[in-house]
Structures are given as C-alpha cells and as structure tokens.
C-alpha cells in the first residue's frame, strides 16, 4: 500500500521529475521535491545539514542540468557534472548516515555509459570498459557516486535512459 509513504525526489521539478511526481501522487504517495529554493520545505542544504527526513520510503535522484540546453564548453561540462555527481554523492551520504534509511534509492543515469560500438552487445550485467568521452565518463562517475555498499539495507536501482521524449517536452 502506498498511502502516505514519503518519496523525496532530487530533480523533481524537471521534465521527468514532474511527470513522475504526478504519477506517484496519483498512486497515493507523499512526494516532496528537493529544491535549491531556500524557501522550499526540503532543500539540498537541508539534506546536507540534517540528512533525509526520517520517514522517507524512497529517494529518487533525477537532478541534473539539461544536457541539450547549451553548448558543452568547459564551464557547461562542469555544471553538467556537478549537478549530477555532487547531488548523487550528497544523497548517498545522507542515506548512509540515516538511522532509518529508505527502502529504495533510485538514481538516473544514461545509455551514454555504454561504449559506442556495433561489434558488441552490452546490457546492465556487462563489465564495461572505462569511458573515453565526456558523456560516458559523466555517467560512470554519476553511477559510482550513487553506489551504496552491500551491507546497506536500502535497495539501490540505477536507470540508464536514452533520450526521453513526450508531449510537451523531452
């Protein structure tokens, strides 16, 4: 039963996060977005200072600056990196320090982690070589930042998406 179970979403105001939040609310979950806005009920600063709320059922990490919004100069690459990897590290740390960790931690990643080749087939069980390009390295570091140690009771899920398109966005 989902009634009243709290789910916190980093990146909940983005295109995917908005749709996911609506769907989860429709199913009876209490959805709280982690925000950069200091007047919000749950901010990244709050997570850093106080950890995740004690009654959190799930943590979902979708945060990240838009990959297609601007040209990838060095400054933009740093923004793309920090907005994903640093927020994943923060949530991972908060889960590890929580006296009541959530049941599940879901972290977004991308298919850019897979090598670009037509010679091999890769899936989530494949041992992947180190990435040799920015997008692949970003995904590799993003996923590493969201890894929980095996002794932690929280189930960890990484979702590697391709381009996500739909009515009104993408």
């Amino acid at each position: 039963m989902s009634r009243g179970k709290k789910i916190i979403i980093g990146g909940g105001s983005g295109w995917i996060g908005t749709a996911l939040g609506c769907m989860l609310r429709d199913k009876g979950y209490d959805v709280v977005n982690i925000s950069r806005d200091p007047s919000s009920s749950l901010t990244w600063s709050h997570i850093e200072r106080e950890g995740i709320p004690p009654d959190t059922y799930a943590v979902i990490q979708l945060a990240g600056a838009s990959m297609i919004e601007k040209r990838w100069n060095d400054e933009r690459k740093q923004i793309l990196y920090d907005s994903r990897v640093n927020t994943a590290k923060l949530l991972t740390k908060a889960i590890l320090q929580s006296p009541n960790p959530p049941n599940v931690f879901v972290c977004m990643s991308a298919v850019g982690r897979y090598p670009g080749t037509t010679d091999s087939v890769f899936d989530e069980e494949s041992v992947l070589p180190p990435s040799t390009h920015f997008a692949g390295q970003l995904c590799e570091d993003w996923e590493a930042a969201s890894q929980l140690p095996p002794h932690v009771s929280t189930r960890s899920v990484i979702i590697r998406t391709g381009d996500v398109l739909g009515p009104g966005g993408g």
Side-chain angles (χ1 to χ4, degrees):
M1 180 99 185
S2 58
R3 267 306 141 215
K5 290 183 178 176
K6 183 182 291 183
I7 297 177
I8 63 172
I9 303 177
S13 63
W15 191 72
I16 295 171
T18 298
L20 179 62
C22 287
M23 190 258 326
L24 290 169
R25 282 183 191 93
D26 287 347
K27 293 191 177 291
Y29 290 95
D30 176 18
V31 177
V32 180
N33 292 335
I34 307 168
S35 176
R36 289 173 289 178
D37 179 354
S39 67
S40 178
S41 65
L42 185 62
T43 65
W44 290 103
S45 296
H46 176 270
I47 297 288
E48 190 169 24
R49 276 189 328 272
E50 300 177 36
I52 58 172
D55 56 345
T56 299
Y57 175 76
V59 175
I60 302 174
Q61 157 54 344
L62 305 174
S66 173
M67 297 290 285
I68 60 172
E69 189 175 279
K70 296 180 181 176
R71 192 171 183 85
W72 289 8
N73 60 25
D74 288 342
E75 180 182 356
R76 183 65 181 174
K77 285 180 181 179
Q78 193 63 54
I79 291 168
L80 295 171
Y81 189 91
D82 291 347
S83 65
R84 287 165 174 75
V85 176
N86 291 349
T87 53
K89 284 180 181 178
L90 178 61
L91 291 173
T92 301
K93 181 179 176 184
I95 290 168
L96 291 173
Q97 293 176 343
S98 176
N100 300 306
N103 290 43
V104 64
F105 177 37
V106 179
C107 187
M108 180 74 81
S109 184
V111 296
R113 175 61 186 100
Y114 296 116
T117 179
T118 58
D119 298 337
S120 302
V121 175
F122 298 98
D123 64 19
E124 55 277 354
E125 299 299 322
S126 299
V127 176
L128 301 174
S131 298
T132 59
H133 54 86
F134 172 73
Q137 187 62 55
L138 172 60
C139 292
E140 191 173 332
D141 292 352
W142 192 7
E143 291 179 17
S146 65
Q147 287 296 315
L148 295 171
H151 72 273
V152 177
S153 63
T154 301
R155 183 168 58 106
S156 182
V157 179
I158 294 175
I159 300 173
R160 291 183 181 145
T161 66
D163 294 331
V164 180
L165 304 171

